[in-house]
Amino acid sequence: MMKALRRHKDWLMIVIAILAIPFIFYFVQRPDYGAMRSDQFARIYDRNVSMLEAQQIVRLLTLAQALGMSEFVQTLTAGAGQDQNQVAGQFIINLLVLRHEAERLGLRPDASEIADVVRKLPAFQSESGFDMNKFSDFVRSGLGPMGLGEEHIERLVRDELCLNEIKRLLAAGISISKGELDENFQRGYDKFYVNIIRFQSADLDKEITIKDEDVQKYYDAHKAELKADEKRKVQFVSLGLSEDQKKLKGKERIEVLQELSDRATDFTQALLEKGADFKQAAGKFQLSVDETGEFTAAAPDPQLKVDAQLSGAAFKLAAQEPNSDPIQVADGFYILHLVGITEARPLTVEEAKPKIVDALKKGRARELMSTKGAELAQQLREAAKSGQPLEASIQKAGAKAEKLPPFSLMEEEKPRSEGKEPKNEPVSQAKEPQTEPSSDGKEPQTEPAPQGSKEPKNKSASQGKESKNEPSSQGKEPKNEPASQGKEPKNEPPSQSKEPTNEPSDLAAIKQAVAFLNPGEISDFSPSGNDGFIAVLEKREPSADTEAGEKRAAFEKRLFDNKQRIVFYEWLRDRQQAAGLQFSKG
């Protein structure tokens, strides 16, 4: 038998191969290459949005920012916060939804409308108005590098006009009753007389004892997090302005900085050559090399404290790419070279003990402070119900009340870094503060939220316009916006130009705590940083401001605008759901 098999082995192999082929086709399934594609960004309106299309829309976002279309960008990036990836993703989806809905509603702005808006864009303005030279320069030098043309400016303006028309249609059903306006206006501008009972976490330290077994238990539970900080050591060269060059301004300063930039670029190009040595390359360019000691991200080397980005750049270097690109600082450029890395390592119990004790003390102090605050607030409420004077009840509890200067919820708070406020600030409704009551009876938010708003907590920059400090989520937008964007200069009324004396640092939190209290009522305990407080509203007096009429009109407009935003974002969220939006994994 074996001899027969050996004699006919070639034919036998052929037969086995023929029989194996069907099994291969049957059991080995063809891969779904469509599912394996990694270039899909999202799926919307039953179609796939490729990464290429998404990147094209991101270029439109950059163009809109460069054109100064801040209101348009802020509206379409609502809730994205400061994460630029989230900003871009939000803009892509919302722009696709906007265009789809505009087409469905039959919104088609004509050429004259588009031309009028283009002529008013901030990027093309000079002192006399629309500047054709600026427009031509922007088209030539601004659009080309992004692979865009004039038609993309017109398309963005068409999108903005459609957006404004949709907002107008949605606002048709919004109304504000006189009672709602009166209630919110009085709450916003009445004078509040408040006493504060403060709780300091430092006062509770003596009541807190941390045992060794507590430290060990915490260490065992958080061992993975308790690590020594990673340390870096770098060499660097700096190309900076001389003392005389630092005094230059305008075009002359730019020319000198450009020369330094070219030199820094030449140096980094030399470092890309095979086998290039940092010190030898620096010697060829007649640059001195300095070296830091070991430092952590939290505690940069003193030599790198010239600019915060230097330390961050040092921690982005790797052994495979040890040299940085030129890093521009105020008066020159730095190039960093990674010398060594001391990796983060787990801490021993003894090494971690100071951190653990501090964390346990802070946590227990907050718990103890919250418990005592809640107990005292309840005691004061019961004493007030029984007719006992609050001052006596506070003293009996061993607490101390701090009387604050009278304030109103709509009273503007001055930044502590500035001595004076700008007289003319191109921000509409700038006199409203960061905290104001809502009409739904809930705790006041950064802006009023009438009728139980479901608006996201992270509000867009367009919602922050009314506050004094302009948000920074769109850091590329121009700082100065012309009057053509509908913003009015701020004229401070006399009653709001004076800063209250001894203004507490947590005034905003105090305003939130007392906004909906009636005279004589006590707030719940409110944490404030590592400390906390209880607020007692002594009385509330109507404002006697002579400009109440103007303020009322401005307040009504702001309340209406806020409702309009809420309605728009609810509509946008509903349209996203109707579009069947699905993001690709990763």
Side-chain angles (χ1 to χ4, degrees), residues 46-170:
D46 295 326
R47 75 176 184 88
N48 294 331
V49 179
S50 67
M51 289 300 297
L52 179 60
E53 182 181 357
Q55 289 165 1
Q56 290 172 342
I57 298 177
V58 170
R59 285 199 291 272
L60 292 181
L61 167 62
T62 304
L63 175 59
Q65 292 171 334
L67 292 170
M69 301 172 68
S70 57
E71 179 72 17
F72 176 73
V73 171
Q74 290 161 1
T75 301
L76 295 187
T77 57
Q82 297 183 4
D83 187 307
Q84 293 304 309
N85 288 329
Q86 292 185 14
V87 168
Q90 194 83 308
F91 183 85
I92 293 166
I93 296 303
N94 288 340
L95 185 63
L96 292 173
V97 171
L98 171 65
R99 288 177 173 177
H100 178 89
E101 294 300 320
E103 183 178 356
R104 186 176 68 86
L105 295 171
L107 301 179
R108 297 180 182 86
D110 58 40
S112 61
E113 289 181 282
I114 294 172
D116 288 341
V117 175
V118 170
R119 282 192 289 268
K120 294 177 182 178
L121 289 174
F124 308 142
Q125 302 302 307
S126 62
E127 293 181 359
S128 58
F130 176 71
D131 191 329
M132 190 62 191
N133 292 330
K134 284 191 174 183
F135 177 83
S136 301
D137 291 343
F138 187 90
V139 171
R140 183 173 59 255
S141 60
L143 296 181
M146 291 190 288
L148 303 175
E150 291 183 42
E151 66 276 10
H152 292 96
I153 298 178
E154 296 177 3
R155 184 65 191 272
L156 279 176
V157 169
R158 184 182 294 111
D159 293 332
E160 184 178 40
L161 289 170
C162 291
L163 174 64
N164 293 338
E165 181 62 18
I166 289 173
K167 284 183 176 181
R168 189 188 67 78
L169 293 172
L170 292 172

Side-chain angles (χ1 to χ4, degrees), residues 432-452:
E432 280 81 2
Q434 297 176 351
T435 304
E436 85 177 56
S438 64
S439 60
D440 61 353
K442 296 182 180 180
E443 288 297 312
Q445 305 296 322
T446 304
E447 294 186 10
Q451 298 181 349

Side-chain angles (χ1 to χ4, degrees), residues 284-347:
K284 292 179 182 178
F285 283 81
Q286 298 181 344
L287 297 172
S288 61
V289 177
D290 296 300
E291 188 170 312
T292 68
E294 285 192 326
F295 61 92
T296 64
D301 187 273
Q303 298 178 82
L304 299 182
K305 289 185 177 179
V306 175
D307 194 296
Q309 61 179 321
L310 295 177
S311 176
F315 276 84
K316 292 179 181 178
L317 300 177
Q320 296 79 11
E321 295 184 9
N323 302 314
S324 73
D325 292 328
I327 303 167
Q328 185 171 4
V329 297
D331 295 319
F333 297 85
Y334 277 70
I335 297 97
L336 308 181
H337 171 74
L338 181 63
V339 175
I341 301 176
T342 302
E343 298 289 348
R345 60 172 180 81
L347 295 173

Side-chain angles (χ1 to χ4, degrees), residues 349-523:
V349 176
E350 290 303 318
E351 289 173 328
K353 187 172 183 178
K355 286 185 178 181
I356 295 174
V357 170
D358 184 59
L360 288 174
K361 277 192 172 183
K362 285 182 177 178
R364 292 185 183 180
R366 283 193 295 268
E367 293 174 4
L368 185 58
M369 189 165 48
S370 180
T371 302
K372 288 192 171 186
E375 291 175 353
L376 179 57
Q378 185 60 31
Q379 290 175 13
L380 294 180
R381 290 188 184 113
E382 292 175 355
K385 286 181 182 178
S386 63
Q388 299 178 30
L390 278 176
E391 292 184 4
S393 302
I394 293 171
Q395 291 178 356
K396 183 179 179 182
K400 183 179 179 181
E402 170 191 346
K403 192 176 185 67
L404 299 182
F407 60 84
S408 66
L409 300 182
M410 301 297 292
E411 191 171 46
E412 186 172 4
E413 301 171 28
K414 293 184 179 180
R416 300 186 178 276
S417 59
E418 298 179 12
K420 297 180 180 179
E421 293 188 39
K423 293 182 180 178
N424 295 314
E425 184 178 340
V427 180
S428 176
Q429 310 298 336
K431 33 188 186 183
E432 280 81 2
Q434 297 176 351
T435 304
E436 85 177 56
S438 64
S439 60
D440 61 353
K442 296 182 180 180
E443 288 297 312
Q445 305 296 322
T446 304
E447 294 186 10
Q451 298 181 349
S453 161
K454 296 180 182 179
E455 195 170 0
K457 292 183 180 178
N458 293 329
K459 299 191 178 182
S460 71
S462 65
Q463 295 166 290
K465 284 193 310 182
E466 288 85 356
S467 66
K468 179 171 181 182
N469 295 325
E470 196 78 23
S472 59
S473 61
Q474 299 297 337
K476 297 180 181 178
E477 295 173 18
K479 294 181 180 178
N480 298 323
E481 299 183 28
S484 63
Q485 298 300 309
K487 298 182 172 67
E488 301 172 359
K490 171 185 166 185
N491 297 317
E492 290 272 6
S495 62
Q496 302 220 14
S497 61
K498 295 180 181 179
E499 184 178 3
T501 56
N502 302 322
E503 180 181 295
S505 59
D506 54 354
L507 183 59
I510 294 171
K511 287 181 177 182
Q512 287 192 359
V514 302
F516 294 93
L517 294 182
N518 294 316
E521 290 185 344
I522 296 101
S523 75

